[in-house]
Amino acid sequence: MGLGLATAGGTLLAAPIAMPMWIVSVATYFVVAGTVATAVSQAVVQDGESLSANNNDPDEDPTD
């Protein structure tokens, strides 16, 4: 989803024709929203993988 928003926004911004300012503004928001969504998605996946890789025993106290 995030990559799609960023790509759509980037495509609109890079178009070789003049567009109304509101379209350019919306495209900029798409790029920002897509970038943030992608970064959050990656952070959640990486954090989840690192927790499951380091925690072999679910009953073990992680503070020991």
Side-chain angles (χ1 to χ4, degrees):
M1 179 83 181
L3 288 174
L5 280 174
T7 302
T11 301
L12 287 172
L13 290 174
I17 59 171
M19 286 189 251
M21 193 61 200
W22 70 270
I23 292 178
V24 173
S25 219
V26 168
T28 303
Y29 285 116
F30 278 4
V31 170
V32 172
T35 304
V36 169
T38 302
V40 168
S41 173
Q42 283 296 107
V44 169
V45 169
Q46 288 177 356
D47 188 36
E49 287 176 356
S50 67
L51 286 176
S52 64
N54 292 332
N55 191 4
N56 294 333
D57 186 7
D59 295 328
E60 187 176 314
D61 186 10
T63 58
D64 288 338

